[in-house]
Structures are given as structure tokens and as C-alpha cells.
Amino acid sequence: IGNPKNMNKISYGYASATSGALIWGMAPLYYRLLNEFPLMEVVAQRAFCSCVLFMVVFVIQNRLSELRQALKSLKNISLFIICSALIGTNWLLFIFALKYGQLMQSALGYYIFPLLTAAMGYFFLGERLEKLTKVALLFALTAVLLKGTTLSNFPWIAISMATTFALYAIIRKQLPVKSDTGTLIETIMLAPIAMIYFGWQAQNGVAIFFGADLMGLMLAVFCGLFTIIPLYLFHNGNKMLPLAIAGLIFYLNPTSQLIISIMLGEPFSFIDISVFVLIWTGLLIQFSPLFFKSQ
């Protein structure tokens, strides 16, 4: 624990996980600009532009050989196909929730996600749950259950988002590849689906890239940036930290979404305030040893 190299790695993991969660939490403000476009077009642009941007970086850095190394076994190929399907489905659910005014369900889904990853890390990876982590997760579970009572309909969007992303995180942690290499492989696997959709648009006389003008092209590029940057940072933190801790840091994402929903005029009841207090109480309990050590 006292090894400076290990401490630097852990610090970098915290920084990556925190910044990735914050960027993700602010992303709804950008995607709201795309509400006028079809749901599938936004998801297709996320996949395609992410692939192109990442590919350019890898070509410049002369790192394409890493792709062959990562896909050298049938097991890795199969796991990456599953990861691509899971993350693509999660993107679709997120854009659906935002487009149809269900940001609260998106936030709830991301509140549930760390609970599932912590449980999977404990049952499937043998990760130890510290006492403070158990208490923090209990606070988080209480908050999630309380938040669930405020939804008039069954929160299928929230549950689906949490399940797909938790499965994605647990599988990706088992793949021995760099964060950006794995993300590039996933976008490469999703790009053909996006191109099929673009072909359908072209056959029906619909301009691709959000109108095919300069502004539309810029919007598409930022779709890629807002996809690959937080995903890359998330995987960095996820690989360097226990899933339970990385999951708790991820609560910055739904908390940011909750704040944005208030800014956009969505109702914020006493129960919502209670959820916010419970979540942050859990986080303070989890990280209290860090505060005491720094004094």
C-alpha cells in the first residue's frame, strides 16, 4: 500500500473515474441539442464517429497491432462482441430516455448500476467488500429503493440501463487490453451497423451527419467525443480500482443528471432530496478514511 508507484496508480484511477463520471453526467446537456433528429441516427453517429476518431489516433500512434493482439483468441472476440452489443444497447436506452423526457429514469438506472457491479465483483470476481463499503452500499440501496417509489410506472428503462452497463463493466474488466484499445474494438464492431443505417438514410433521401452541413458534421464529431472520452476514463478507473469503489464514484454521473433535470424544470420532491442526501452520505462514509489519512 505504501509503494509510491501503487499510490500513483490508485490516484490516477480515482482521477479517471471521477472525471469520466462528471463528463457523462453533463452529456445530457449536449444530447438535448439533437432531440430533433431520429433516435437511431444519434446512436449511429455515436458509434461511427467514435470509431473514426479512435482509428485516427491509433494510426497516428502506430498502434494498430494492438488490435490483432487483443483479438488473438476466440474467447476475446466473443467477449468483445458481447460488450459491443451491451454498450450499444445502453447508448440506445440513454438517448431514448433523454429524447422522451425520462432523464429521471436514466439517473435511476445509473444509481442502480454500481450496486450491480459491486455485487458481481463480490460474487464472480471474489473482490472483498470492506465494512465501510457495505455500509455505503446500504445507503445507496436505500436511496435507489426510495427513488423507485417516485416513479408512477415500472422503471423498465432504469433497470435495463443498469443491467446492460453492469454486465458490460464486469465483462470488460476481464479482458486484458488497454482501455482505449478495447473501446476502439467495440466501436469497430458497431460501425457496420451504423453504416447500414446510413445506407438506409441515403436510399430514402435523408442527409446523413445531422443535415450534412458543417454544423451537422461538428455535432456528429462531438457525439464521438462525448462517447469515447468518458468511456475511456471510466475503464481506466474501473481497471485500477475495486468495482465497488469505482461504482460509488460513478454516482457523480446520475447525481449530475439529477441536478440537470432540476435545471430543466423537472419536479424535485422531498423524496428526491432524501435520495440525494442518502447517496452522498454513503459516499462520505466510503471515503472518510481518505480524509482522516490526509490530516
mmCIF file with all atom_site columns, all heavy atoms in Angstrom, residues 122-141:
data_model
loop_
_atom_site.group_PDB
_atom_site.id
_atom_site.type_symbol
_atom_site.label_atom_id
_atom_site.label_alt_id
_atom_site.label_comp_id
_atom_site.label_asym_id
_atom_site.label_entity_id
_atom_site.label_seq_id
_atom_site.pdbx_PDB_ins_code
_atom_site.Cartn_x
_atom_site.Cartn_y
_atom_site.Cartn_z
_atom_site.occupancy
_atom_site.B_iso_or_equiv
_atom_site.pdbx_formal_charge
_atom_site.auth_seq_id
_atom_site.auth_comp_id
_atom_site.auth_asym_id
_atom_site.auth_atom_id
_atom_site.pdbx_PDB_model_num
ATOM 1   N N   . TYR A 1 122 ? -18.209 -9.036  -6.100  1.00 0.00 ? 122 TYR A N   1
ATOM 2   C CA  . TYR A 1 122 ? -18.133 -9.871  -4.893  1.00 0.00 ? 122 TYR A CA  1
ATOM 3   C C   . TYR A 1 122 ? -18.394 -11.343 -5.217  1.00 0.00 ? 122 TYR A C   1
ATOM 4   O O   . TYR A 1 122 ? -17.649 -12.231 -4.791  1.00 0.00 ? 122 TYR A O   1
ATOM 5   C CB  . TYR A 1 122 ? -19.138 -9.364  -3.858  1.00 0.00 ? 122 TYR A CB  1
ATOM 6   C CG  . TYR A 1 122 ? -19.223 -10.205 -2.611  1.00 0.00 ? 122 TYR A CG  1
ATOM 7   C CD1 . TYR A 1 122 ? -18.217 -10.146 -1.648  1.00 0.00 ? 122 TYR A CD1 1
ATOM 8   C CD2 . TYR A 1 122 ? -20.306 -11.058 -2.402  1.00 0.00 ? 122 TYR A CD2 1
ATOM 9   C CE1 . TYR A 1 122 ? -18.299 -10.921 -0.488  1.00 0.00 ? 122 TYR A CE1 1
ATOM 10  C CE2 . TYR A 1 122 ? -20.396 -11.831 -1.250  1.00 0.00 ? 122 TYR A CE2 1
ATOM 11  C CZ  . TYR A 1 122 ? -19.387 -11.754 -0.302  1.00 0.00 ? 122 TYR A CZ  1
ATOM 12  O OH  . TYR A 1 122 ? -19.462 -12.529 0.834   1.00 0.00 ? 122 TYR A OH  1
ATOM 13  N N   . PHE A 1 123 ? -19.447 -11.611 -5.991  1.00 0.00 ? 123 PHE A N   1
ATOM 14  C CA  . PHE A 1 123 ? -19.858 -12.996 -6.243  1.00 0.00 ? 123 PHE A CA  1
ATOM 15  C C   . PHE A 1 123 ? -19.040 -13.672 -7.347  1.00 0.00 ? 123 PHE A C   1
ATOM 16  O O   . PHE A 1 123 ? -18.780 -14.870 -7.274  1.00 0.00 ? 123 PHE A O   1
ATOM 17  C CB  . PHE A 1 123 ? -21.343 -13.041 -6.605  1.00 0.00 ? 123 PHE A CB  1
ATOM 18  C CG  . PHE A 1 123 ? -22.256 -12.798 -5.438  1.00 0.00 ? 123 PHE A CG  1
ATOM 19  C CD1 . PHE A 1 123 ? -22.962 -11.614 -5.322  1.00 0.00 ? 123 PHE A CD1 1
ATOM 20  C CD2 . PHE A 1 123 ? -22.399 -13.757 -4.443  1.00 0.00 ? 123 PHE A CD2 1
ATOM 21  C CE1 . PHE A 1 123 ? -23.803 -11.387 -4.247  1.00 0.00 ? 123 PHE A CE1 1
ATOM 22  C CE2 . PHE A 1 123 ? -23.242 -13.541 -3.360  1.00 0.00 ? 123 PHE A CE2 1
ATOM 23  C CZ  . PHE A 1 123 ? -23.941 -12.350 -3.263  1.00 0.00 ? 123 PHE A CZ  1
ATOM 24  N N   . PHE A 1 124 ? -18.637 -12.909 -8.381  1.00 0.00 ? 124 PHE A N   1
ATOM 25  C CA  . PHE A 1 124 ? -17.992 -13.533 -9.527  1.00 0.00 ? 124 PHE A CA  1
ATOM 26  C C   . PHE A 1 124 ? -16.474 -13.314 -9.575  1.00 0.00 ? 124 PHE A C   1
ATOM 27  O O   . PHE A 1 124 ? -15.753 -14.143 -10.129 1.00 0.00 ? 124 PHE A O   1
ATOM 28  C CB  . PHE A 1 124 ? -18.616 -13.021 -10.831 1.00 0.00 ? 124 PHE A CB  1
ATOM 29  C CG  . PHE A 1 124 ? -20.077 -13.318 -10.939 1.00 0.00 ? 124 PHE A CG  1
ATOM 30  C CD1 . PHE A 1 124 ? -21.005 -12.292 -11.031 1.00 0.00 ? 124 PHE A CD1 1
ATOM 31  C CD2 . PHE A 1 124 ? -20.542 -14.621 -10.944 1.00 0.00 ? 124 PHE A CD2 1
ATOM 32  C CE1 . PHE A 1 124 ? -22.351 -12.550 -11.125 1.00 0.00 ? 124 PHE A CE1 1
ATOM 33  C CE2 . PHE A 1 124 ? -21.895 -14.900 -11.040 1.00 0.00 ? 124 PHE A CE2 1
ATOM 34  C CZ  . PHE A 1 124 ? -22.810 -13.867 -11.128 1.00 0.00 ? 124 PHE A CZ  1
ATOM 35  N N   . LEU A 1 125 ? -16.006 -12.192 -9.022  1.00 0.00 ? 125 LEU A N   1
ATOM 36  C CA  . LEU A 1 125 ? -14.573 -11.909 -9.076  1.00 0.00 ? 125 LEU A CA  1
ATOM 37  C C   . LEU A 1 125 ? -13.888 -12.102 -7.731  1.00 0.00 ? 125 LEU A C   1
ATOM 38  O O   . LEU A 1 125 ? -12.662 -11.997 -7.633  1.00 0.00 ? 125 LEU A O   1
ATOM 39  C CB  . LEU A 1 125 ? -14.334 -10.467 -9.555  1.00 0.00 ? 125 LEU A CB  1
ATOM 40  C CG  . LEU A 1 125 ? -14.913 -10.104 -10.925 1.00 0.00 ? 125 LEU A CG  1
ATOM 41  C CD1 . LEU A 1 125 ? -14.525 -8.679  -11.285 1.00 0.00 ? 125 LEU A CD1 1
ATOM 42  C CD2 . LEU A 1 125 ? -14.442 -11.077 -11.986 1.00 0.00 ? 125 LEU A CD2 1
ATOM 43  N N   . GLY A 1 126 ? -14.658 -12.365 -6.688  1.00 0.00 ? 126 GLY A N   1
ATOM 44  C CA  . GLY A 1 126 ? -14.076 -12.573 -5.374  1.00 0.00 ? 126 GLY A CA  1
ATOM 45  C C   . GLY A 1 126 ? -13.517 -11.316 -4.741  1.00 0.00 ? 126 GLY A C   1
ATOM 46  O O   . GLY A 1 126 ? -12.670 -11.386 -3.849  1.00 0.00 ? 126 GLY A O   1
ATOM 47  N N   . GLU A 1 127 ? -13.971 -10.144 -5.197  1.00 0.00 ? 127 GLU A N   1
ATOM 48  C CA  . GLU A 1 127 ? -13.498 -8.893  -4.607  1.00 0.00 ? 127 GLU A CA  1
ATOM 49  C C   . GLU A 1 127 ? -14.078 -8.734  -3.199  1.00 0.00 ? 127 GLU A C   1
ATOM 50  O O   . GLU A 1 127 ? -15.251 -9.003  -2.958  1.00 0.00 ? 127 GLU A O   1
ATOM 51  C CB  . GLU A 1 127 ? -13.893 -7.700  -5.479  1.00 0.00 ? 127 GLU A CB  1
ATOM 52  C CG  . GLU A 1 127 ? -13.153 -7.640  -6.796  1.00 0.00 ? 127 GLU A CG  1
ATOM 53  C CD  . GLU A 1 127 ? -13.395 -6.326  -7.524  1.00 0.00 ? 127 GLU A CD  1
ATOM 54  O OE1 . GLU A 1 127 ? -14.334 -5.595  -7.120  1.00 0.00 ? 127 GLU A OE1 1
ATOM 55  O OE2 . GLU A 1 127 ? -12.651 -6.030  -8.465  1.00 0.00 ? 127 GLU A OE2 1
ATOM 56  N N   . ARG A 1 128 ? -13.239 -8.272  -2.326  1.00 0.00 ? 128 ARG A N   1
ATOM 57  C CA  . ARG A 1 128 ? -13.655 -8.105  -0.932  1.00 0.00 ? 128 ARG A CA  1
ATOM 58  C C   . ARG A 1 128 ? -14.424 -6.803  -0.753  1.00 0.00 ? 128 ARG A C   1
ATOM 59  O O   . ARG A 1 128 ? -14.053 -5.769  -1.315  1.00 0.00 ? 128 ARG A O   1
ATOM 60  C CB  . ARG A 1 128 ? -12.423 -8.103  -0.028  1.00 0.00 ? 128 ARG A CB  1
ATOM 61  C CG  . ARG A 1 128 ? -12.737 -7.952  1.447   1.00 0.00 ? 128 ARG A CG  1
ATOM 62  C CD  . ARG A 1 128 ? -11.454 -7.905  2.263   1.00 0.00 ? 128 ARG A CD  1
ATOM 63  N NE  . ARG A 1 128 ? -11.733 -7.682  3.672   1.00 0.00 ? 128 ARG A NE  1
ATOM 64  C CZ  . ARG A 1 128 ? -10.789 -7.504  4.589   1.00 0.00 ? 128 ARG A CZ  1
ATOM 65  N NH1 . ARG A 1 128 ? -9.509  -7.538  4.226   1.00 0.00 ? 128 ARG A NH1 1
ATOM 66  N NH2 . ARG A 1 128 ? -11.120 -7.303  5.860   1.00 0.00 ? 128 ARG A NH2 1
ATOM 67  N N   . LEU A 1 129 ? -15.483 -6.878  0.039   1.00 0.00 ? 129 LEU A N   1
ATOM 68  C CA  . LEU A 1 129 ? -16.250 -5.687  0.373   1.00 0.00 ? 129 LEU A CA  1
ATOM 69  C C   . LEU A 1 129 ? -15.871 -5.242  1.791   1.00 0.00 ? 129 LEU A C   1
ATOM 70  O O   . LEU A 1 129 ? -16.142 -5.948  2.760   1.00 0.00 ? 129 LEU A O   1
ATOM 71  C CB  . LEU A 1 129 ? -17.751 -5.959  0.303   1.00 0.00 ? 129 LEU A CB  1
ATOM 72  C CG  . LEU A 1 129 ? -18.370 -6.118  -1.092  1.00 0.00 ? 129 LEU A CG  1
ATOM 73  C CD1 . LEU A 1 129 ? -19.857 -6.388  -0.973  1.00 0.00 ? 129 LEU A CD1 1
ATOM 74  C CD2 . LEU A 1 129 ? -18.128 -4.889  -1.936  1.00 0.00 ? 129 LEU A CD2 1
ATOM 75  N N   . GLU A 1 130 ? -15.214 -4.093  1.893   1.00 0.00 ? 130 GLU A N   1
ATOM 76  C CA  . GLU A 1 130 ? -14.866 -3.555  3.207   1.00 0.00 ? 130 GLU A CA  1
ATOM 77  C C   . GLU A 1 130 ? -16.135 -3.171  3.967   1.00 0.00 ? 130 GLU A C   1
ATOM 78  O O   . GLU A 1 130 ? -17.193 -2.946  3.380   1.00 0.00 ? 130 GLU A O   1
ATOM 79  C CB  . GLU A 1 130 ? -13.955 -2.340  3.052   1.00 0.00 ? 130 GLU A CB  1
ATOM 80  C CG  . GLU A 1 130 ? -12.664 -2.606  2.294   1.00 0.00 ? 130 GLU A CG  1
ATOM 81  C CD  . GLU A 1 130 ? -11.717 -3.506  3.073   1.00 0.00 ? 130 GLU A CD  1
ATOM 82  O OE1 . GLU A 1 130 ? -11.895 -3.620  4.306   1.00 0.00 ? 130 GLU A OE1 1
ATOM 83  O OE2 . GLU A 1 130 ? -10.807 -4.079  2.453   1.00 0.00 ? 130 GLU A OE2 1
ATOM 84  N N   . LYS A 1 131 ? -16.007 -3.078  5.295   1.00 0.00 ? 131 LYS A N   1
ATOM 85  C CA  . LYS A 1 131 ? -17.175 -2.748  6.119   1.00 0.00 ? 131 LYS A CA  1
ATOM 86  C C   . LYS A 1 131 ? -17.781 -1.403  5.727   1.00 0.00 ? 131 LYS A C   1
ATOM 87  O O   . LYS A 1 131 ? -19.007 -1.270  5.627   1.00 0.00 ? 131 LYS A O   1
ATOM 88  C CB  . LYS A 1 131 ? -16.778 -2.743  7.594   1.00 0.00 ? 131 LYS A CB  1
ATOM 89  C CG  . LYS A 1 131 ? -16.459 -4.131  8.152   1.00 0.00 ? 131 LYS A CG  1
ATOM 90  C CD  . LYS A 1 131 ? -16.141 -4.062  9.633   1.00 0.00 ? 131 LYS A CD  1
ATOM 91  C CE  . LYS A 1 131 ? -15.852 -5.462  10.191  1.00 0.00 ? 131 LYS A CE  1
ATOM 92  N NZ  . LYS A 1 131 ? -15.528 -5.424  11.634  1.00 0.00 ? 131 LYS A NZ  1
ATOM 93  N N   . LEU A 1 132 ? -16.905 -0.402  5.516   1.00 0.00 ? 132 LEU A N   1
ATOM 94  C CA  . LEU A 1 132 ? -17.415 0.913   5.138   1.00 0.00 ? 132 LEU A CA  1
ATOM 95  C C   . LEU A 1 132 ? -18.108 0.861   3.781   1.00 0.00 ? 132 LEU A C   1
ATOM 96  O O   . LEU A 1 132 ? -19.104 1.562   3.566   1.00 0.00 ? 132 LEU A O   1
ATOM 97  C CB  . LEU A 1 132 ? -16.278 1.934   5.113   1.00 0.00 ? 132 LEU A CB  1
ATOM 98  C CG  . LEU A 1 132 ? -15.695 2.324   6.474   1.00 0.00 ? 132 LEU A CG  1
ATOM 99  C CD1 . LEU A 1 132 ? -14.581 3.342   6.301   1.00 0.00 ? 132 LEU A CD1 1
ATOM 100 C CD2 . LEU A 1 132 ? -16.788 2.897   7.385   1.00 0.00 ? 132 LEU A CD2 1
ATOM 101 N N   . THR A 1 133 ? -17.586 0.040   2.876   1.00 0.00 ? 133 THR A N   1
ATOM 102 C CA  . THR A 1 133 ? -18.216 -0.095  1.567   1.00 0.00 ? 133 THR A CA  1
ATOM 103 C C   . THR A 1 133 ? -19.591 -0.716  1.695   1.00 0.00 ? 133 THR A C   1
ATOM 104 O O   . THR A 1 133 ? -20.546 -0.314  1.019   1.00 0.00 ? 133 THR A O   1
ATOM 105 C CB  . THR A 1 133 ? -17.334 -0.950  0.640   1.00 0.00 ? 133 THR A CB  1
ATOM 106 O OG1 . THR A 1 133 ? -16.044 -0.344  0.515   1.00 0.00 ? 133 THR A OG1 1
ATOM 107 C CG2 . THR A 1 133 ? -17.965 -1.076  -0.739  1.00 0.00 ? 133 THR A CG2 1
ATOM 108 N N   . LYS A 1 134 ? -19.722 -1.724  2.587   1.00 0.00 ? 134 LYS A N   1
ATOM 109 C CA  . LYS A 1 134 ? -21.028 -2.353  2.798   1.00 0.00 ? 134 LYS A CA  1
ATOM 110 C C   . LYS A 1 134 ? -22.032 -1.348  3.337   1.00 0.00 ? 134 LYS A C   1
ATOM 111 O O   . LYS A 1 134 ? -23.195 -1.318  2.906   1.00 0.00 ? 134 LYS A O   1
ATOM 112 C CB  . LYS A 1 134 ? -20.887 -3.533  3.761   1.00 0.00 ? 134 LYS A CB  1
ATOM 113 C CG  . LYS A 1 134 ? -20.096 -4.711  3.197   1.00 0.00 ? 134 LYS A CG  1
ATOM 114 C CD  . LYS A 1 134 ? -19.986 -5.825  4.234   1.00 0.00 ? 134 LYS A CD  1
ATOM 115 C CE  . LYS A 1 134 ? -19.188 -7.005  3.696   1.00 0.00 ? 134 LYS A CE  1
ATOM 116 N NZ  . LYS A 1 134 ? -19.049 -8.090  4.687   1.00 0.00 ? 134 LYS A NZ  1
ATOM 117 N N   . VAL A 1 135 ? -21.584 -0.519  4.281   1.00 0.00 ? 135 VAL A N   1
ATOM 118 C CA  . VAL A 1 135 ? -22.487 0.496   4.840   1.00 0.00 ? 135 VAL A CA  1
ATOM 119 C C   . VAL A 1 135 ? -22.879 1.505   3.770   1.00 0.00 ? 135 VAL A C   1
ATOM 120 O O   . VAL A 1 135 ? -24.050 1.895   3.640   1.00 0.00 ? 135 VAL A O   1
ATOM 121 C CB  . VAL A 1 135 ? -21.816 1.206   6.030   1.00 0.00 ? 135 VAL A CB  1
ATOM 122 C CG1 . VAL A 1 135 ? -22.698 2.350   6.525   1.00 0.00 ? 135 VAL A CG1 1
ATOM 123 C CG2 . VAL A 1 135 ? -21.549 0.219   7.162   1.00 0.00 ? 135 VAL A CG2 1
ATOM 124 N N   . ALA A 1 136 ? -21.881 1.926   2.972   1.00 0.00 ? 136 ALA A N   1
ATOM 125 C CA  . ALA A 1 136 ? -22.151 2.892   1.908   1.00 0.00 ? 136 ALA A CA  1
ATOM 126 C C   . ALA A 1 136 ? -23.125 2.318   0.883   1.00 0.00 ? 136 ALA A C   1
ATOM 127 O O   . ALA A 1 136 ? -24.033 3.013   0.416   1.00 0.00 ? 136 ALA A O   1
ATOM 128 C CB  . ALA A 1 136 ? -20.842 3.289   1.225   1.00 0.00 ? 136 ALA A CB  1
ATOM 129 N N   . LEU A 1 137 ? -22.944 1.048   0.534   1.00 0.00 ? 137 LEU A N   1
ATOM 130 C CA  . LEU A 1 137 ? -23.848 0.407   -0.416  1.00 0.00 ? 137 LEU A CA  1
ATOM 131 C C   . LEU A 1 137 ? -25.255 0.267   0.153   1.00 0.00 ? 137 LEU A C   1
ATOM 132 O O   . LEU A 1 137 ? -26.237 0.329   -0.583  1.00 0.00 ? 137 LEU A O   1
ATOM 133 C CB  . LEU A 1 137 ? -23.300 -0.965  -0.805  1.00 0.00 ? 137 LEU A CB  1
ATOM 134 C CG  . LEU A 1 137 ? -22.072 -0.952  -1.717  1.00 0.00 ? 137 LEU A CG  1
ATOM 135 C CD1 . LEU A 1 137 ? -21.519 -2.357  -1.903  1.00 0.00 ? 137 LEU A CD1 1
ATOM 136 C CD2 . LEU A 1 137 ? -22.403 -0.340  -3.069  1.00 0.00 ? 137 LEU A CD2 1
ATOM 137 N N   . LEU A 1 138 ? -25.348 0.092   1.471   1.00 0.00 ? 138 LEU A N   1
ATOM 138 C CA  . LEU A 1 138 ? -26.662 0.018   2.108   1.00 0.00 ? 138 LEU A CA  1
ATOM 139 C C   . LEU A 1 138 ? -27.389 1.356   1.979   1.00 0.00 ? 138 LEU A C   1
ATOM 140 O O   . LEU A 1 138 ? -28.592 1.392   1.683   1.00 0.00 ? 138 LEU A O   1
ATOM 141 C CB  . LEU A 1 138 ? -26.501 -0.363  3.583   1.00 0.00 ? 138 LEU A CB  1
ATOM 142 C CG  . LEU A 1 138 ? -27.803 -0.511  4.374   1.00 0.00 ? 138 LEU A CG  1
ATOM 143 C CD1 . LEU A 1 138 ? -28.682 -1.594  3.765   1.00 0.00 ? 138 LEU A CD1 1
ATOM 144 C CD2 . LEU A 1 138 ? -27.503 -0.828  5.842   1.00 0.00 ? 138 LEU A CD2 1
ATOM 145 N N   . PHE A 1 139 ? -26.654 2.452   2.190   1.00 0.00 ? 139 PHE A N   1
ATOM 146 C CA  . PHE A 1 139 ? -27.241 3.782   1.990   1.00 0.00 ? 139 PHE A CA  1
ATOM 147 C C   . PHE A 1 139 ? -27.691 3.943   0.538   1.00 0.00 ? 139 PHE A C   1
ATOM 148 O O   . PHE A 1 139 ? -28.769 4.476   0.255   1.00 0.00 ? 139 PHE A O   1
ATOM 149 C CB  . PHE A 1 139 ? -26.228 4.876   2.350   1.00 0.00 ? 139 PHE A CB  1
ATOM 150 C CG  . PHE A 1 139 ? -26.253 5.271   3.791   1.00 0.00 ? 139 PHE A CG  1
ATOM 151 C CD1 . PHE A 1 139 ? -25.441 4.639   4.710   1.00 0.00 ? 139 PHE A CD1 1
ATOM 152 C CD2 . PHE A 1 139 ? -27.089 6.280   4.242   1.00 0.00 ? 139 PHE A CD2 1
ATOM 153 C CE1 . PHE A 1 139 ? -25.448 4.998   6.058   1.00 0.00 ? 139 PHE A CE1 1
ATOM 154 C CE2 . PHE A 1 139 ? -27.110 6.658   5.577   1.00 0.00 ? 139 PHE A CE2 1
ATOM 155 C CZ  . PHE A 1 139 ? -26.291 6.011   6.494   1.00 0.00 ? 139 PHE A CZ  1
ATOM 156 N N   . ALA A 1 140 ? -26.835 3.496   -0.396  1.00 0.00 ? 140 ALA A N   1
ATOM 157 C CA  . ALA A 1 140 ? -27.156 3.634   -1.809  1.00 0.00 ? 140 ALA A CA  1
ATOM 158 C C   . ALA A 1 140 ? -28.375 2.794   -2.179  1.00 0.00 ? 140 ALA A C   1
ATOM 159 O O   . ALA A 1 140 ? -29.246 3.240   -2.937  1.00 0.00 ? 140 ALA A O   1
ATOM 160 C CB  . ALA A 1 140 ? -25.955 3.207   -2.657  1.00 0.00 ? 140 ALA A CB  1
ATOM 161 N N   . LEU A 1 141 ? -28.448 1.582   -1.646  1.00 0.00 ? 141 LEU A N   1
ATOM 162 C CA  . LEU A 1 141 ? -29.596 0.719   -1.920  1.00 0.00 ? 141 LEU A CA  1
ATOM 163 C C   . LEU A 1 141 ? -30.879 1.347   -1.400  1.00 0.00 ? 141 LEU A C   1
ATOM 164 O O   . LEU A 1 141 ? -31.912 1.338   -2.073  1.00 0.00 ? 141 LEU A O   1
ATOM 165 C CB  . LEU A 1 141 ? -29.382 -0.655  -1.272  1.00 0.00 ? 141 LEU A CB  1
ATOM 166 C CG  . LEU A 1 141 ? -30.537 -1.649  -1.406  1.00 0.00 ? 141 LEU A CG  1
ATOM 167 C CD1 . LEU A 1 141 ? -30.823 -1.941  -2.871  1.00 0.00 ? 141 LEU A CD1 1
ATOM 168 C CD2 . LEU A 1 141 ? -30.228 -2.937  -0.647  1.00 0.00 ? 141 LEU A CD2 1
#
